[in-house]
mmCIF file of all heavy atoms in Angstrom:
data_model
loop_
_atom_site.group_PDB
_atom_site.id
_atom_site.type_symbol
_atom_site.label_atom_id
_atom_site.label_comp_id
_atom_site.label_asym_id
_atom_site.label_seq_id
_atom_site.Cartn_x
_atom_site.Cartn_y
_atom_site.Cartn_z
ATOM 1 N N LEU A 372 60.208 71.855 21.136
ATOM 2 C CA LEU A 372 61.357 72.430 20.440
ATOM 3 C C LEU A 372 62.029 71.365 19.576
ATOM 4 O O LEU A 372 62.400 70.291 20.080
ATOM 5 C CB LEU A 372 62.343 72.986 21.466
ATOM 6 C CG LEU A 372 63.508 73.823 20.954
ATOM 7 C CD1 LEU A 372 63.019 75.151 20.386
ATOM 8 C CD2 LEU A 372 64.519 74.066 22.079
ATOM 9 N N GLN A 373 62.197 71.643 18.304
ATOM 10 C CA GLN A 373 62.865 70.709 17.406
ATOM 11 C C GLN A 373 64.320 70.570 17.833
ATOM 12 O O GLN A 373 64.969 71.539 18.252
ATOM 13 C CB GLN A 373 62.771 71.197 15.959
ATOM 14 C CG GLN A 373 63.576 70.418 14.944
ATOM 15 C CD GLN A 373 63.069 68.998 14.694
ATOM 16 O OE1 GLN A 373 62.177 68.511 15.396
ATOM 17 N NE2 GLN A 373 63.616 68.334 13.687
ATOM 18 N N SER A 374 64.846 69.365 17.711
ATOM 19 C CA SER A 374 66.233 69.094 18.053
ATOM 20 C C SER A 374 67.175 70.037 17.303
ATOM 21 O O SER A 374 67.022 70.251 16.099
ATOM 22 C CB SER A 374 66.577 67.648 17.708
ATOM 23 O OG SER A 374 67.934 67.381 17.934
ATOM 24 N N GLY A 375 68.120 70.621 18.040
ATOM 25 C CA GLY A 375 69.105 71.508 17.428
ATOM 26 C C GLY A 375 68.702 72.968 17.379
ATOM 27 O O GLY A 375 69.527 73.827 17.051
ATOM 28 N N VAL A 376 67.466 73.262 17.725
ATOM 29 C CA VAL A 376 66.987 74.653 17.702
ATOM 30 C C VAL A 376 67.309 75.309 19.051
ATOM 31 O O VAL A 376 67.061 74.711 20.107
ATOM 32 C CB VAL A 376 65.473 74.702 17.421
ATOM 33 C CG1 VAL A 376 64.932 76.127 17.561
ATOM 34 C CG2 VAL A 376 65.193 74.166 16.020
ATOM 35 N N PRO A 377 67.837 76.527 19.030
ATOM 36 C CA PRO A 377 68.218 77.183 20.299
ATOM 37 C C PRO A 377 67.037 77.355 21.244
ATOM 38 O O PRO A 377 65.899 77.583 20.820
ATOM 39 C CB PRO A 377 68.743 78.547 19.836
ATOM 40 C CG PRO A 377 69.182 78.330 18.438
ATOM 41 C CD PRO A 377 68.252 77.322 17.870
ATOM 42 N N SER A 378 67.306 77.282 22.533
ATOM 43 C CA SER A 378 66.254 77.333 23.546
ATOM 44 C C SER A 378 65.623 78.713 23.686
ATOM 45 O O SER A 378 64.635 78.864 24.414
ATOM 46 C CB SER A 378 66.811 76.872 24.893
ATOM 47 O OG SER A 378 67.890 77.690 25.287
ATOM 48 N N ARG A 379 66.165 79.722 23.017
ATOM 49 C CA ARG A 379 65.516 81.044 23.070
ATOM 50 C C ARG A 379 64.193 81.047 22.305
ATOM 51 O O ARG A 379 63.390 81.966 22.460
ATOM 52 C CB ARG A 379 66.436 82.142 22.526
ATOM 53 C CG ARG A 379 66.843 81.986 21.076
ATOM 54 C CD ARG A 379 67.775 83.134 20.653
ATOM 55 N NE ARG A 379 68.197 83.004 19.272
ATOM 56 C CZ ARG A 379 69.254 82.302 18.892
ATOM 57 N NH1 ARG A 379 69.995 81.663 19.794
ATOM 58 N NH2 ARG A 379 69.588 82.231 17.606
ATOM 59 N N PHE A 380 63.969 80.027 21.473
ATOM 60 C CA PHE A 380 62.704 79.876 20.776
ATOM 61 C C PHE A 380 61.752 79.036 21.629
ATOM 62 O O PHE A 380 62.142 77.988 22.160
ATOM 63 C CB PHE A 380 62.892 79.188 19.426
ATOM 64 C CG PHE A 380 63.624 80.006 18.413
ATOM 65 C CD1 PHE A 380 64.998 79.879 18.265
ATOM 66 C CD2 PHE A 380 62.951 80.909 17.601
ATOM 67 C CE1 PHE A 380 65.691 80.640 17.337
ATOM 68 C CE2 PHE A 380 63.626 81.671 16.665
ATOM 69 C CZ PHE A 380 64.998 81.542 16.539
ATOM 70 N N SER A 381 60.516 79.483 21.762
ATOM 71 C CA SER A 381 59.513 78.707 22.477
ATOM 72 C C SER A 381 58.150 78.962 21.854
ATOM 73 O O SER A 381 57.922 79.997 21.210
ATOM 74 C CB SER A 381 59.489 79.056 23.964
ATOM 75 O OG SER A 381 59.093 80.396 24.151
ATOM 76 N N GLY A 382 57.264 77.994 22.038
ATOM 77 C CA GLY A 382 55.913 78.101 21.511
ATOM 78 C C GLY A 382 54.889 77.762 22.573
ATOM 79 O O GLY A 382 55.173 76.988 23.498
ATOM 80 N N SER A 383 53.717 78.345 22.446
ATOM 81 C CA SER A 383 52.638 78.062 23.389
ATOM 82 C C SER A 383 51.305 78.181 22.680
ATOM 83 O O SER A 383 51.214 78.697 21.564
ATOM 84 C CB SER A 383 52.697 79.031 24.577
ATOM 85 O OG SER A 383 52.490 80.361 24.137
ATOM 86 N N GLY A 384 50.274 77.695 23.378
ATOM 87 C CA GLY A 384 48.920 77.815 22.865
ATOM 88 C C GLY A 384 48.290 76.474 22.550
ATOM 89 O O GLY A 384 48.966 75.444 22.484
ATOM 90 N N SER A 385 46.986 76.506 22.348
ATOM 91 C CA SER A 385 46.222 75.339 21.909
ATOM 92 C C SER A 385 44.853 75.825 21.464
ATOM 93 O O SER A 385 44.444 76.940 21.815
ATOM 94 C CB SER A 385 46.100 74.288 23.007
ATOM 95 O OG SER A 385 45.317 74.769 24.069
ATOM 96 N N GLY A 386 44.163 74.975 20.720
ATOM 97 C CA GLY A 386 42.849 75.380 20.229
ATOM 98 C C GLY A 386 42.973 76.253 18.997
ATOM 99 O O GLY A 386 43.241 75.753 17.907
ATOM 100 N N THR A 387 42.802 77.558 19.160
ATOM 101 C CA THR A 387 42.864 78.467 18.019
ATOM 102 C C THR A 387 43.952 79.522 18.123
ATOM 103 O O THR A 387 44.258 80.173 17.119
ATOM 104 C CB THR A 387 41.526 79.202 17.819
ATOM 105 O OG1 THR A 387 41.241 79.955 19.006
ATOM 106 C CG2 THR A 387 40.384 78.221 17.535
ATOM 107 N N ASP A 388 44.528 79.732 19.278
ATOM 108 C CA ASP A 388 45.485 80.824 19.480
ATOM 109 C C ASP A 388 46.848 80.313 19.929
ATOM 110 O O ASP A 388 46.943 79.568 20.911
ATOM 111 C CB ASP A 388 44.934 81.831 20.500
ATOM 112 C CG ASP A 388 43.699 82.532 19.972
ATOM 113 O OD1 ASP A 388 43.768 83.105 18.875
ATOM 114 O OD2 ASP A 388 42.668 82.484 20.656
ATOM 115 N N PHE A 389 47.879 80.776 19.215
ATOM 116 C CA PHE A 389 49.230 80.279 19.430
ATOM 117 C C PHE A 389 50.218 81.443 19.398
ATOM 118 O O PHE A 389 49.971 82.475 18.762
ATOM 119 C CB PHE A 389 49.589 79.266 18.336
ATOM 120 C CG PHE A 389 48.647 78.100 18.289
ATOM 121 C CD1 PHE A 389 47.485 78.167 17.529
ATOM 122 C CD2 PHE A 389 48.908 76.941 19.007
ATOM 123 C CE1 PHE A 389 46.592 77.101 17.494
ATOM 124 C CE2 PHE A 389 48.036 75.877 18.980
ATOM 125 C CZ PHE A 389 46.872 75.951 18.228
ATOM 126 N N ILE A 390 51.349 81.239 20.085
ATOM 127 C CA ILE A 390 52.382 82.260 20.168
ATOM 128 C C ILE A 390 53.747 81.632 19.966
ATOM 129 O O ILE A 390 54.043 80.570 20.523
ATOM 130 C CB ILE A 390 52.357 82.977 21.533
ATOM 131 C CG1 ILE A 390 51.038 83.743 21.724
ATOM 132 C CG2 ILE A 390 53.536 83.947 21.658
ATOM 133 C CD1 ILE A 390 50.870 84.309 23.111
ATOM 134 N N LEU A 391 54.574 82.300 19.148
ATOM 135 C CA LEU A 391 55.997 81.985 19.045
ATOM 136 C C LEU A 391 56.743 83.110 19.743
ATOM 137 O O LEU A 391 56.507 84.291 19.459
ATOM 138 C CB LEU A 391 56.441 81.890 17.595
ATOM 139 C CG LEU A 391 57.952 81.725 17.373
ATOM 140 C CD1 LEU A 391 58.416 80.337 17.821
ATOM 141 C CD2 LEU A 391 58.318 81.952 15.898
ATOM 142 N N THR A 392 57.636 82.748 20.661
ATOM 143 C CA THR A 392 58.434 83.730 21.388
ATOM 144 C C THR A 392 59.915 83.491 21.139
ATOM 145 O O THR A 392 60.378 82.355 21.197
ATOM 146 C CB THR A 392 58.142 83.666 22.900
ATOM 147 O OG1 THR A 392 56.747 83.917 23.134
ATOM 148 C CG2 THR A 392 58.968 84.697 23.649
ATOM 149 N N ILE A 393 60.623 84.574 20.855
ATOM 150 C CA ILE A 393 62.087 84.556 20.814
ATOM 151 C C ILE A 393 62.519 85.392 22.020
ATOM 152 O O ILE A 393 62.257 86.599 22.067
ATOM 153 C CB ILE A 393 62.636 85.136 19.502
ATOM 154 C CG1 ILE A 393 61.966 84.479 18.291
ATOM 155 C CG2 ILE A 393 64.149 84.935 19.430
ATOM 156 C CD1 ILE A 393 62.312 85.121 16.952
ATOM 157 N N SER A 394 63.161 84.763 22.985
ATOM 158 C CA SER A 394 63.387 85.439 24.276
ATOM 159 C C SER A 394 64.424 86.554 24.185
ATOM 160 O O SER A 394 64.306 87.577 24.854
ATOM 161 C CB SER A 394 63.809 84.419 25.333
ATOM 162 O OG SER A 394 65.007 83.778 24.939
ATOM 163 N N SER A 395 65.432 86.359 23.344
ATOM 164 C CA SER A 395 66.476 87.367 23.183
ATOM 165 C C SER A 395 66.976 87.285 21.746
ATOM 166 O O SER A 395 67.757 86.397 21.410
ATOM 167 C CB SER A 395 67.621 87.135 24.171
ATOM 168 O OG SER A 395 68.663 88.086 23.974
ATOM 169 N N LEU A 396 66.503 88.201 20.915
ATOM 170 C CA LEU A 396 66.738 88.133 19.479
ATOM 171 C C LEU A 396 68.233 88.202 19.159
ATOM 172 O O LEU A 396 68.950 89.057 19.685
ATOM 173 C CB LEU A 396 65.994 89.276 18.798
ATOM 174 C CG LEU A 396 65.746 89.177 17.303
ATOM 175 C CD1 LEU A 396 64.807 88.024 16.981
ATOM 176 C CD2 LEU A 396 65.186 90.487 16.781
ATOM 177 N N GLN A 397 68.670 87.279 18.320
ATOM 178 C CA GLN A 397 70.071 87.234 17.889
ATOM 179 C C GLN A 397 70.178 87.633 16.418
ATOM 180 O O GLN A 397 69.192 87.550 15.669
ATOM 181 C CB GLN A 397 70.635 85.844 18.112
ATOM 182 C CG GLN A 397 70.664 85.420 19.565
ATOM 183 C CD GLN A 397 71.461 86.373 20.427
ATOM 184 O OE1 GLN A 397 72.659 86.571 20.198
ATOM 185 N NE2 GLN A 397 70.810 86.981 21.424
ATOM 186 N N PRO A 398 71.361 88.060 15.973
ATOM 187 C CA PRO A 398 71.506 88.505 14.578
ATOM 188 C C PRO A 398 71.054 87.464 13.555
ATOM 189 O O PRO A 398 70.480 87.824 12.522
ATOM 190 C CB PRO A 398 73.015 88.775 14.457
ATOM 191 C CG PRO A 398 73.453 89.098 15.839
ATOM 192 C CD PRO A 398 72.591 88.245 16.746
ATOM 193 N N GLU A 399 71.254 86.184 13.866
ATOM 194 C CA GLU A 399 70.878 85.132 12.924
ATOM 195 C C GLU A 399 69.371 84.852 12.900
ATOM 196 O O GLU A 399 68.906 84.036 12.096
ATOM 197 C CB GLU A 399 71.647 83.839 13.238
ATOM 198 C CG GLU A 399 71.416 83.271 14.619
ATOM 199 C CD GLU A 399 72.430 83.758 15.636
ATOM 200 O OE1 GLU A 399 72.927 84.906 15.490
ATOM 201 O OE2 GLU A 399 72.727 82.986 16.574
ATOM 202 N N ASP A 400 68.609 85.520 13.768
ATOM 203 C CA ASP A 400 67.162 85.287 13.835
ATOM 204 C C ASP A 400 66.365 86.190 12.897
ATOM 205 O O ASP A 400 65.139 86.044 12.779
ATOM 206 C CB ASP A 400 66.655 85.506 15.268
ATOM 207 C CG ASP A 400 67.317 84.582 16.270
ATOM 208 O OD1 ASP A 400 67.803 83.509 15.849
ATOM 209 O OD2 ASP A 400 67.346 84.936 17.457
ATOM 210 N N PHE A 401 67.036 87.113 12.231
ATOM 211 C CA PHE A 401 66.312 87.983 11.306
ATOM 212 C C PHE A 401 65.943 87.159 10.079
ATOM 213 O O PHE A 401 66.804 86.693 9.328
ATOM 214 C CB PHE A 401 67.140 89.217 10.977
ATOM 215 C CG PHE A 401 67.289 90.124 12.172
ATOM 216 C CD1 PHE A 401 68.419 90.050 12.978
ATOM 217 C CD2 PHE A 401 66.282 91.014 12.512
ATOM 218 C CE1 PHE A 401 68.548 90.866 14.101
ATOM 219 C CE2 PHE A 401 66.405 91.834 13.629
ATOM 220 C CZ PHE A 401 67.529 91.750 14.425
ATOM 221 N N ALA A 402 64.634 86.949 9.912
ATOM 222 C CA ALA A 402 64.111 85.994 8.937
ATOM 223 C C ALA A 402 62.596 86.162 8.886
ATOM 224 O O ALA A 402 62.030 87.033 9.548
ATOM 225 C CB ALA A 402 64.465 84.572 9.359
ATOM 226 N N THR A 403 61.952 85.299 8.097
ATOM 227 C CA THR A 403 60.494 85.253 8.064
ATOM 228 C C THR A 403 60.029 83.989 8.775
ATOM 229 O O THR A 403 60.616 82.916 8.581
ATOM 230 C CB THR A 403 59.974 85.294 6.620
ATOM 231 O OG1 THR A 403 60.417 86.506 5.997
ATOM 232 C CG2 THR A 403 58.446 85.252 6.595
ATOM 233 N N TYR A 404 58.990 84.130 9.581
ATOM 234 C CA TYR A 404 58.480 83.022 10.383
ATOM 235 C C TYR A 404 57.058 82.687 9.940
ATOM 236 O O TYR A 404 56.245 83.580 9.717
ATOM 237 C CB TYR A 404 58.507 83.393 11.866
ATOM 238 C CG TYR A 404 59.919 83.563 12.368
ATOM 239 C CD1 TYR A 404 60.603 84.764 12.187
ATOM 240 C CD2 TYR A 404 60.599 82.506 12.959
ATOM 241 C CE1 TYR A 404 61.917 84.910 12.605
ATOM 242 C CE2 TYR A 404 61.907 82.642 13.382
ATOM 243 C CZ TYR A 404 62.563 83.850 13.194
ATOM 244 O OH TYR A 404 63.870 83.987 13.593
#
Side-chain angles (χ1 to χ4, degrees):
Chain A
L372 189 68
Q373 172 68 352
S374 176
V376 173
S378 59
R379 61 181 179 273
F380 291 93
S381 64
S383 63
S385 67
T387 60
D388 294 306
F389 302 87
I390 296 172
L391 173 70
T392 301
I393 309 172
S394 60
S395 178
L396 198 66
Q397 297 302 300
E399 60 268 31
D400 300 336
F401 292 96
T403 300
Y404 294 83

